[in-house]
């Protein structure tokens, strides 16, 4: 079942290497378990090498230098040096470099960072061309071992030993200039799943609203030189969820239910007007906010947060998604909220409240923008965020006056509040509630046969104020650089947008996911040397794990 993470999950963490400020590399003890044989096949049996990826986490970005990052890239550099014919497979490569805002200036073509990274990743092989995509994201993605956000800033790097043909296509003209650039993470063509992630605001780092840069470089033996000048992009598509055997990547949305699942009695566009609160087959129709207002107050009181405010999300589920084998699950979700919270809380073995599974069935996750209170036609209305794709700006204003909710406006505001659909209200789980701290301690750090790609959402830090004076008497931590081989991804403070084209067996998905610490991820085996059992079965080069 493709649901949220649970305590019983048994992921194997990726290899971790730390580089101290003295640039001394020390390996953390690893397991002696053998994941695969290491017999080197004949060069004639080698296929195109697979892509390589890694994440570099830096706790003190203000102290980091380019040399620290180059030292961290040594593991990828070793891969190239051990395979002299690595670049011979293709004359054109593609390199994706995602960095956090502290390192935005490093990604300019005028900086010495890019050519040095290219030389370290690809080595001094025969002349090749490389398309380099540089983007600035809000943060590094956690590893599936714990879904715990890494501390500090850093880089996530993906190297593909082939050319991606669509990179140099012109930017779409219909995109609003007020929208940040995006990266679209896609799956293979069979399922047509895409996940669009807005990049970070870098206005105060390099003067750009967001940073997504493309350039082309050519090796000249000892160094790399620019052959096609750096240009700004509005969107780049990156196939990282390739060869999915399932209709979508795995989804974790750590949420706590505030209400049972209820039927929407009346709604239009993004406005929920009335809900049926009846139980046992008896109707009880009332204003949409009636139960939610009481539940929010009770939840805040239990958490000791009286007189505070909290963000609320709504999971809107089409009626057809609740048929068939889902009946038992639906009964649980319609039960008393205390029972429901005990069974479906992120801190229980059941994990989150099946939000990912319902999204797979066509449900939409929306933030509750406003509502409650008022009188007359405005009484008890709830306004849901109508944005389900990143093609429109969320600068809309909502008018609750009489006559405003006509068919034309309802079309502009989407159709999430469908009459007859079911709705459940959620709040974000505490971060420590969604993470089991014992998972990493149980396993320790071991060599992994799994690579991971993770894309997620973190809370906005735009209003955070860092008081440096509070740390005046404390000793500042030492520079620590951690390297996670086989891991790639990033997080956004602006949410992510999941889409899937529908088929006869898989419904359409079109939803925004902006609940904090939600992640879409995929784990896959890393290819290392093994004996080919037939002429068609070919291993990938040594050291690419």
């Amino acid at each position: 079942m493709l649901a949220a993470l649970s305590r019983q999950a048994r992921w194997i963490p990726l290899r971790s290497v730390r580089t101290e400020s003295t640039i001394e590399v020390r390996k953390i003890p690893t397991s002696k378990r053998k994941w695969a044989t290491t017999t080197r096949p004949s060069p004639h049996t080698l296929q195109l090498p697979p892509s390589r990826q890694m994440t570099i986490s830096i706790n003190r970005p203000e102290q980091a230098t380019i040399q620290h990052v180059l030292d961290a890239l040594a593991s990828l550099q070793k891969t190239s040096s051990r395979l002299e014919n690595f670049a011979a497979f293709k004359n054109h490569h593609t390199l994706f470099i995602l960095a956090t805002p502290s390192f935005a200036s490093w990604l300019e073509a005028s900086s010495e960072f890019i050519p040095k990274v290219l030389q370290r990743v690809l080595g001094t092989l025969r002349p090749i061309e490389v398309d380099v995509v540089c983007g600035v994201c809000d943060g590094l993605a956690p590893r599936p071992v714990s879904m715990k956000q890494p501390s500090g800033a850093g880089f996530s790097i993906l190297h593909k030993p082939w050319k991606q043909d669509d990179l140099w296509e012109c930017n779409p003209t219909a995109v609003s200039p007020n929208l940040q650039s995006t990266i679209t993470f896609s799956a293979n063509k069979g399922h047509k799943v895409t996940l669009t992630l807005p990049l970070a605001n870098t206005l105060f780092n390099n003067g750009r609203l967001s940073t997504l840069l493309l350039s082309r470089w050519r090796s000249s033996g000892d160094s790399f030189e620019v052959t096609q000048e750096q240009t700004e992009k509005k969107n780049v598509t990156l196939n990282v969820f390739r060869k999915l055997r399932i209709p979508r990547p795995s989804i974790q949305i750590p949420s706590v239910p505030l209400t049972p699942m209820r039927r929407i009695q009346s709604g239009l566009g993004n406005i929920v007007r009335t809900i049926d609160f009846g139980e046992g087959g008896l109707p009880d129709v009332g204003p949409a906010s009636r139960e939610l207002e009481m539940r929010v107050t009770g939840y805040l009181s239990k958490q000791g947060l009286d007189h505070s405010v909290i963000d609320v999300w709504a999971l809107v589920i089409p009626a057809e998604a609740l048929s068939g084998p889902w009946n038992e699950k639906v009964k649980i979700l319609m039960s008393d909220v205390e029972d429901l919270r005990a069974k479906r809380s992120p801190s229980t073995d059941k994990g989150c409240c099946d939000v990912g599974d319902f999204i797979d069935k066509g449900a939409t996750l929306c933030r509750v923008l406003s509502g409650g209170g008022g009188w007359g036609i405005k009484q008890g209305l709830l306004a849901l965020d109508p944005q389900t794709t990143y093609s429109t700006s969320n600068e809309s204003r909502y008018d609750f006056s009489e006559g405003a909710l006509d068919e034309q406006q309802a079309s502009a505001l989407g159709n999430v509040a469908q009459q007859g659909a079911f709705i459940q209200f959620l709040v974000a789980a505490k971060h420590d509630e969604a993470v089991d701290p014992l998972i990493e301690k149980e396993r320790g750090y071991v060599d992994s046969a799994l690579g991971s790609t993770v894309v997620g959402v973190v809370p906005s830090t735009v209003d955070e104020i860092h008081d440096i004076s509070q740390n005046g008497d404390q000793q500042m931590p030492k520079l620590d650089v951690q390297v996670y081989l086989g891991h790639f991804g990033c997080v956004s403070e602006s949410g992510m947008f999941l889409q899937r084209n529908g088929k006869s067996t898989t419904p359409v998905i079109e939803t925004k996911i902006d609940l904090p610490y939600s992640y879409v991820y995929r784990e896959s085996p890393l290819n290392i040397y093994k004996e080919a059992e037939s002429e068609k079965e070919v291993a990938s080069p040594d050291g690419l794990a």
Side-chain angles (χ1 to χ4, degrees):
M1 183 178 81
L2 301 173
L5 301 178
S6 67
R7 286 178 183 265
Q8 274 73 30
R10 287 295 179 263
W11 289 286
I12 299 176
L14 300 168
R15 179 184 303 168
S16 174
V17 179
R18 291 190 177 186
T19 306
E20 302 294 345
S21 58
T22 55
I23 321 181
E24 175 187 354
V25 177
R26 56 186 178 86
K27 292 186 178 180
I28 296 174
T30 57
S31 169
K32 294 182 179 179
R33 179 175 177 180
K34 295 182 179 179
W35 293 98
T37 59
T38 56
T39 303
R40 182 185 297 269
S42 165
H44 301 291
T45 65
L46 288 176
Q47 283 182 331
L48 180 70
S51 58
R52 304 178 293 165
Q53 56 194 43
M54 70 185 303
T55 292
I56 304 170
S57 178
I58 303 172
N59 69 329
R60 300 292 306 279
E62 71 280 2
Q63 292 185 4
T65 65
I66 292 177
Q67 188 59 49
H68 287 109
V69 178
L70 296 179
D71 289 341
L73 286 168
S75 51
L76 289 185
Q77 190 266 344
K78 289 177 183 177
T79 304
S80 299
S81 64
R82 292 168 66 184
L83 267 180
E84 294 182 358
N85 61 342
F86 184 80
F89 286 99
K90 289 285 183 180
N91 292 326
H92 206 116
H93 293 230
T94 308
L95 186 69
F96 295 87
I97 304 175
L98 300 181
T100 49
S102 306
F103 301 101
S105 61
W106 291 20
L107 304 183
E108 303 291 336
S110 57
S111 166
E112 61 180 349
F113 177 70
I114 295 177
K116 287 188 175 183
V117 167
L118 288 172
Q119 189 168 357
R120 182 57 58 96
V121 172
L122 292 171
T124 54
L125 301 169
R126 70 174 189 160
I128 56 172
E129 280 193 321
V130 187
D131 285 329
V132 180
V133 180
C134 297
V136 178
C137 56
D138 286 308
L140 300 178
R143 297 170 297 150
V145 61
S146 64
M147 286 297 176
K148 186 176 182 181
Q149 181 68 11
S151 59
F155 298 85
S156 198
I157 296 173
L158 171 63
H159 167 230
K160 291 186 172 185
W162 60 82
K163 181 180 180 181
Q164 183 167 318
D165 295 324
D166 60 355
L167 286 178
W168 290 94
E169 292 179 359
C170 295
N171 286 320
T173 56
V175 175
S176 167
N178 297 324
L179 292 179
Q180 291 156 241
S181 297
T182 58
I183 294 180
T184 297
F185 299 88
S186 67
N188 56 308
K189 295 181 180 179
H191 293 299
K192 296 186 178 178
V193 180
T194 61
L195 186 69
T196 300
L197 199 81
L199 295 176
N201 187 323
T202 56
L203 192 61
F204 296 107
N205 299 95
N206 57 15
R208 294 187 173 98
L209 179 63
S210 57
T211 301
L212 184 60
L213 305 172
L214 172 64
S215 56
R216 180 168 291 175
W217 300 71
R218 184 192 297 273
S219 68
S220 57
D222 297 331
S223 62
F224 282 83
E225 298 176 352
V226 179
T227 60
Q228 203 153 339
E229 291 299 326
Q230 203 168 53
T231 181
E232 294 189 46
K233 300 287 291 182
K234 292 302 292 183
N235 174 264
V236 165
T237 298
L238 178 55
N239 186 346
V240 291
F241 299 125
R242 54 196 178 278
K243 297 182 181 179
L244 282 178
R245 296 181 180 178
I246 53 177
R248 62 163 173 83
S250 301
I251 300 176
Q252 171 186 328
I253 301 180
S255 55
V256 176
L258 282 179
T259 67
M261 188 186 298
R262 306 289 192 191
R263 185 185 293 272
I264 297 175
Q265 188 67 23
S266 63
L268 188 63
N270 71 319
I271 305 298
V272 183
R273 185 178 297 278
T274 59
I275 291 176
D276 185 356
F277 302 100
E279 297 178 0
L282 299 175
D284 179 14
V285 178
S289 66
R290 186 181 80 183
E291 182 181 36
L292 179 60
E293 290 172 342
M294 177 184 65
R295 295 295 186 187
V296 168
T297 302
Y299 179 79
L300 290 175
S301 179
K302 275 193 171 183
Q303 301 294 322
L305 300 172
D306 297 296
H307 311 297
S308 300
V309 293
I310 191 171
D311 289 322
V312 177
W313 281 261
L315 182 67
V316 182
I317 308 166
E320 56 269 22
L322 303 181
S323 58
W326 287 74
N327 289 336
E328 289 303 316
K329 185 174 290 187
V330 170
K331 287 179 183 177
I332 294 175
L333 296 179
M334 288 183 171
S335 61
D336 177 76
V337 70
E338 295 302 328
D339 259 357
L340 176 59
R341 200 172 293 165
K343 293 174 182 175
R344 298 297 181 188
S345 170
S347 60
T348 67
D349 292 343
K350 294 294 183 182
C352 302
C353 55
D354 304 311
V355 178
D357 279 343
F358 281 115
I359 287 177
D360 189 44
K361 294 292 182 179
T364 304
L365 184 66
C366 317
R367 186 191 291 262
V368 178
L369 298 178
S370 62
W375 56 88
I377 195 171
K378 297 188 295 183
Q379 183 183 4
L381 297 182
L382 291 177
L384 308 181
D385 186 354
Q387 190 184 26
T388 56
T389 66
Y390 200 65
S391 58
T392 57
S393 174
N394 26 337
E395 297 176 355
S396 317
R397 296 294 180 263
Y398 305 97
D399 184 3
F400 294 97
S401 59
E402 188 171 3
L405 296 178
D406 55 18
E407 293 295 334
Q408 186 175 0
Q409 185 178 4
S411 174
L413 294 179
N415 191 28
V416 292
Q418 298 181 30
Q419 182 176 344
F422 288 81
I423 190 167
Q424 183 183 38
F425 296 100
L426 316 162
V427 293
K430 294 179 180 179
H431 192 202
D432 56 355
E433 205 175 2
V435 176
D436 186 346
L438 296 177
I439 290 180
E440 285 196 42
K441 293 178 183 177
E442 270 180 13
R443 267 190 240 85
Y445 291 93
V446 299
D447 284 328
S448 175
L450 294 178
S452 60
T453 300
V454 179
V455 182
V457 180
V458 292
S460 174
T461 57
V462 68
D463 296 323
E464 286 187 3
I465 300 176
H466 301 281
D467 188 0
I468 302 177
S469 62
Q470 291 181 356
N471 299 325
D473 298 332
Q474 298 179 9
Q475 186 176 0
M476 298 300 290
K478 192 178 182 181
L479 175 66
D480 186 23
V481 179
Q482 297 187 25
V483 177
Y484 302 103
L485 297 174
H487 177 59
F488 177 77
C490 59
V491 295
S492 172
E493 296 181 1
S494 304
M496 52 186 173
F497 299 82
L498 181 65
Q499 290 183 286
R500 181 182 67 196
N501 293 347
K503 289 186 175 182
S504 57
T505 56
T506 55
V508 172
I509 295 178
E510 188 174 279
T511 185
K512 177 182 181 180
I513 301 174
D514 58 350
L515 192 146
Y517 304 111
S518 296
Y519 298 105
V520 176
Y521 65 97
R522 179 176 185 255
E523 291 183 301
S524 57
L526 291 173
N527 293 316
I528 57 177
Y529 269 143
K530 61 178 181 179
E531 292 186 2
E533 296 179 358
S534 66
E535 293 182 1
K536 293 183 179 180
E537 181 182 351
V538 192
S540 47
D542 185 22
L544 293 187

